[in-house]
Amino acid sequence: MSDYYWQTTTPQEEKSSGTKIIAVIVILMITISSGLIFILQVVPLGGGPSTEVRVAVLDSGIDIDLALQGRVVEEKSFIEPQYGYDETDITTTDSRPENVPHGTLVATLVAETPNAQIVNGKVMGEDGTATSIALAAAIYWAVEQECGVISLSLGSSPVLGDPMEEAIEWAFSRGVVVVSSAGNEGDSGLAGNSISSPSVFEKCIAVAALYEDDEPAEFSSTGPTFDRYMKPDISAYGWVTYSSSRYYGTSFSAPRVAGAAAQLIGYSIDNNITYTPGSIMTALMKGAEPMTDYPSYVVGTGKLNVQNSLALLDTTSQEGELPALSLAFPASLPIDYETLFYDDTYEFNVRLLTSGSTTFTVAITGDSPGIFNIPSSIAVNQSRLIPLTVNMPSSGPSVLNNTIQFTSAEFGETSLDVSFELSSAIARVAFDISHSSWSIDTSYGQFREFYKELTANDISVTEIRNSTATTLAVLQQFDSVVILDPCVYDYNETIPTVATPYSLPFSGAEKTAYAAYYDAGGGIFLATLGSSFTNITQVNDFLSFTGFELTAVEVPSGTDPALIVDLENHIITSGLSGFHYLGATLNIPLANRLASFHPAATVMGYKESVGGGKIVVTGTNFFIDNYALLGEYGVGDNALIAYRIVLWTAGLLF
């Protein structure tokens, strides 16, 4: 049997575009089939807890075979028009997407935990997709069925107004542990931040996938999230065998952790240990086997180790009390590829997890405790994101090591190590992502390699995320501002039954600020896409002060980027062989051409103001995404032209 993927996202060559299906659809995670022959064995573990715990498997339905006899206690199908489907399917048997019993396989993995009773919620049809309306309804139903755990082996790109977040929050508040696949869009790390919904949400356990040899699977989605907190949470084996094939995906790592959660809940009840979703989540993550060779944005806290987690419950609990457990996640910052410079400001959200409601006192020790902006006491009810801001000094030691200690009288201590290596920047650049609606448009996402290219050459990079704060004073802190994917389309699912497209235009105040910044000598590099993905009317409204205009003509035709070799004589393009392009063409009546797809199709231009301002505009982001900078589109000078554009707009290339 040949390998295949279950997915409705775009193929690799379109990753840069951020193409998404309509938000109401939830994607089934990638499942890869190999031709290997294995025997599927479902053997209950001995010596487990006696208290039965209901685990909801919200998937493609379940075929109750010999391994699942007597284990399925409730069933319901949500495949009805009221939940956004075109048809009604009242059966609860497996719909077998791609002729594979996906839900059944997930259920067999949960059933390896002997005290797990399975509640079957069918939300996926035979095409392997479900609606978010159905999934949210199934979550509420599962809570009503007194499930202690919900297992989700599906997901989609996060969207505005995602109904999954509210459903997850509600289930957590009702005492339910929600476990979900991290996603299968990792693409060997090329995709950057790619954690799917609902696992992206704080109170859902996101599970990454490991191969049989404990190596992280290259397909497993990685963090951190767009909102700058760490995911995934934990890792587990991401495979299952069926018939003559072995299937891989985070679809099969999530149910292993869901089963472990049921085991911990049953153990807590058997031993009169009070439990909460927070205590189970903390015990699972803190008890994970460390995988120090891999960053936490790939493997979370490490490999699932149920025995370690049970031992934690034992050693931190008294009868009738919550376990004295707490965890700061991640355990160290910054992330390995982040580079900081003197005068930089660093921001990240630390997750504090604990068993119950408490107040943590915060103490900072080390070289420079005064550079941290964090409250001295923090109230946490099981889980909370804590904003951490660090203001780098203007001079001084090049290495700063500090430890932030969080202490709760009820739930113990946990800590975060923060170590910065600082150097001096030759220029300060901002990535303005405040007008992109795509969660991949960040230095953690598809522009990670662009960020690394600049910081490796001593250019400080800061992200502008709040469009209302874009004033002339803010812009003038930077030598150049890179405006990434402005006004691209995404979907708003605030009303789940009506997923509406939207984009983020520039306000009049922002346009005035940018025009004044340019006139005063500031640098601007704007990279967006064609009308298939971008509201070019909004972009052109912003560009009205520059003389540039995007056209509705896109080049090349198709989905593969072209190598642009028709380059003008300019210091930015001098000596280059070409760069990759897929997007809009430009009109440049008041500017100068830098590159063309053919003589009549300008794809990049530049302009200088009387006051020394410089601007480069292009209708693509393909030559600055991770795939381009790592050579995945083929031979080209993508990294060099991107670097030169930033140097030129920053006034450092003459």
Side-chain angles (χ1 to χ4, degrees), residues 480-481 483 514 517-518 522-526 545 614-616 649:
S480 179
V481 179
I483 305 175
Y514 265 106
Y517 170 69
Y518 171 68
I524 300 171
F525 171 26
L526 184 146
F545 73 92
K614 297 178 174 65
I615 184 169
V616 172
T649 55

Side-chain angles (χ1 to χ4, degrees), residues 181-203:
S181 305
N184 300 278
E185 300 298 325
D187 210 354
S188 300
L190 284 168
N193 66 306
S194 50
I195 303 294
S196 66
S197 167
S199 60
V200 71
F201 299 119
E202 174 201 351
K203 292 174 182 173

Side-chain angles (χ1 to χ4, degrees), residues 121-166:
K122 183 174 179 177
V123 295
M124 286 193 292
E126 62 183 12
D127 62 352
T129 65
T131 69
S132 55
I133 309 169
L135 184 55
I139 290 172
Y140 291 115
W141 172 78
V143 175
E144 292 170 357
Q145 304 311 306
E146 299 182 343
C147 293
V149 184
I150 295 174
S151 182
L152 304 171
S153 289
L154 36 69
S156 68
S157 299
V159 295
L160 180 65
D162 195 326
M164 291 300 99
E165 183 170 18
E166 182 178 350

Side-chain angles (χ1 to χ4, degrees), residues 291-323:
M291 301 179 68
T292 54
D293 290 340
Y294 307 100
S296 53
Y297 59 84
V298 173
V299 297
T301 56
K303 178 186 174 184
L304 173 68
N305 188 316
V306 181
Q307 295 307 313
N308 281 355
S309 297
L310 289 170
L312 280 174
L313 293 180
D314 257 340
T315 58
T316 61
S317 302
Q318 298 181 14
E319 188 172 344
E321 301 290 335
L322 284 166

Side-chain angles (χ1 to χ4, degrees), residues 98-240:
E98 298 286 351
N99 200 33
V100 174
H102 187 267
T104 305
L105 296 178
V106 170
T108 60
L109 293 173
V110 173
E112 291 184 2
T113 300
N115 70 312
Q117 292 184 323
I118 295 170
V119 172
N120 173 21
K122 183 174 179 177
V123 295
M124 286 193 292
E126 62 183 12
D127 62 352
T129 65
T131 69
S132 55
I133 309 169
L135 184 55
I139 290 172
Y140 291 115
W141 172 78
V143 175
E144 292 170 357
Q145 304 311 306
E146 299 182 343
C147 293
V149 184
I150 295 174
S151 182
L152 304 171
S153 289
L154 36 69
S156 68
S157 299
V159 295
L160 180 65
D162 195 326
M164 291 300 99
E165 183 170 18
E166 182 178 350
I168 298 297
E169 292 272 352
W170 185 81
F172 188 91
S173 73
R174 295 293 297 269
V176 179
V177 179
V178 184
V179 183
S180 181
S181 305
N184 300 278
E185 300 298 325
D187 210 354
S188 300
L190 284 168
N193 66 306
S194 50
I195 303 294
S196 66
S197 167
S199 60
V200 71
F201 299 119
E202 174 201 351
K203 292 174 182 173
C204 182
I205 301 176
V207 189
L210 303 176
Y211 283 125
E212 297 89 338
D213 60 0
D214 291 350
E215 291 286 317
E218 77 281 351
F219 57 78
S220 191
S221 290
T222 62
T225 71
F226 173 85
D227 290 322
R228 289 182 171 263
Y229 57 87
M230 192 59 73
K231 286 277 180 170
D233 300 307
I234 196 169
S235 296
Y237 289 131
W239 51 267
V240 70

